[in-house]
Amino acid sequence: MSYLTIYPETSATPKNEYSDFSEIQKALAQHGVVFERWKATEQVSAEATPEEVTRAYQADIDRFKAERGFMTHDVVSIHPGVENHPEMRQKFLQEHTHSEDEARFFVDGSGMFYIHHVGKIFKILCEKGDFLNVPAGTKHWFDMGNKPFFKAIRLFNNPEGWIASFTGDSIADRFPKYEQS
Ligand SMILES: [Fe+2]
């Protein structure tokens, strides 16, 4: 089940924990972070093509694109059989920002987002059905875990422009990683 854990930035001892959807949504909305649950309008199998995945969530994709000015989207799939998954995990495990929003919908599987904002760390476990939008310029990192498994829809303003700008802060190393085992 999805959850939100809030830590002070100085300590890995949790200050608040939420597992209720509307409480998570409310706590994140105060900081401009959008958290939603999207429902498929048709059955999506594990083997569904990106086109089939898109079709099942078309209304929400179109709505959010219009709300935030996103231009494109894609569907990304990661599983433990992907050869370079440890390197992929490392890639976004250090604190960074982007010049555009980071919008992710979890069609399947899970991943852990960490948002560093107003002196706090917001650790959010996103699971199947969850949508998260991290505003442009917000410091964050992402852990796909030691056994990465997810299929996600990613929205972009401009795929070429989606570059991580690393802060150089090692803060991510001081908070619990996502370990699925
Ligand atoms: Fe990111």
Side-chain angles (χ1 to χ4, degrees):
M1 199 171 61
S2 330
Y3 62 76
L4 163 67
T5 307
I6 304 177
Y7 304 87
E9 66 184 355
T10 49
S11 155
T13 304
K15 200 161 169 254
N16 302 96
E17 295 182 272
Y18 305 93
S19 55
D20 176 76
F21 169 75
S22 56
E23 284 185 12
I24 297 173
Q25 189 174 49
K26 216 165 79 184
L28 292 176
Q30 289 173 18
H31 303 285
V33 177
V34 176
F35 185 66
E36 297 182 345
R37 291 244 162 94
W38 293 3
K39 278 199 172 62
T41 53
E42 57 186 82
Q43 196 77 25
V44 184
S45 74
E47 295 77 32
T49 64
E51 291 72 27
E52 288 166 339
V53 170
T54 297
R55 211 165 55 220
Y57 297 99
Q58 193 74 63
D60 281 317
I61 293 171
D62 290 347
R63 173 180 56 82
F64 209 78
K65 275 185 180 173
E67 271 175 29
R68 295 277 177 153
F70 286 108
M71 305 298 286
T72 60
H73 71 274
D74 69 3
V75 179
V76 63
S77 208
I78 308 288
H79 54 84
V82 172
E83 206 176 296
N84 62 339
H85 75 76
E87 289 77 28
M88 294 178 75
R89 181 187 188 191
Q90 284 305 315
K91 199 171 167 191
F92 294 108
L93 210 46
Q94 290 301 319
E95 188 183 79
H96 62 274
T97 62
H98 306 282
S99 59
E100 63 176 289
D101 291 6
E102 178 162 332
R104 297 287 181 270
F105 172 69
F106 286 80
V107 177
D108 205 354
S110 62
M112 194 78 86
F113 274 92
Y114 302 74
I115 294 173
H116 183 191
H117 187 62
V118 295
K120 295 173 185 169
I121 302 298
F122 300 80
K123 184 177 85 171
I124 309 135
L125 177 67
C126 288
E127 293 191 310
K128 182 178 177 171
D130 292 344
F131 172 84
L132 187 76
N133 187 70
V134 181
T138 304
K139 291 185 274 187
H140 67 279
W141 64 95
F142 175 72
D143 191 358
M144 57 178 75
N146 58 328
K147 290 181 181 166
F149 169 63
F150 65 85
K151 184 180 277 188
I153 298 172
R154 310 187 293 180
L155 307 186
F156 300 104
N157 286 332
N158 169 3
E160 288 80 42
W162 196 74
I163 301 163
S165 173
F166 290 91
T167 63
D169 190 330
S170 60
I171 189 164
D173 299 336
R174 303 198 292 275
F175 289 87
K177 297 267 183 298
Y178 184 32
E179 306 292 347
Q180 289 106 323
S181 54

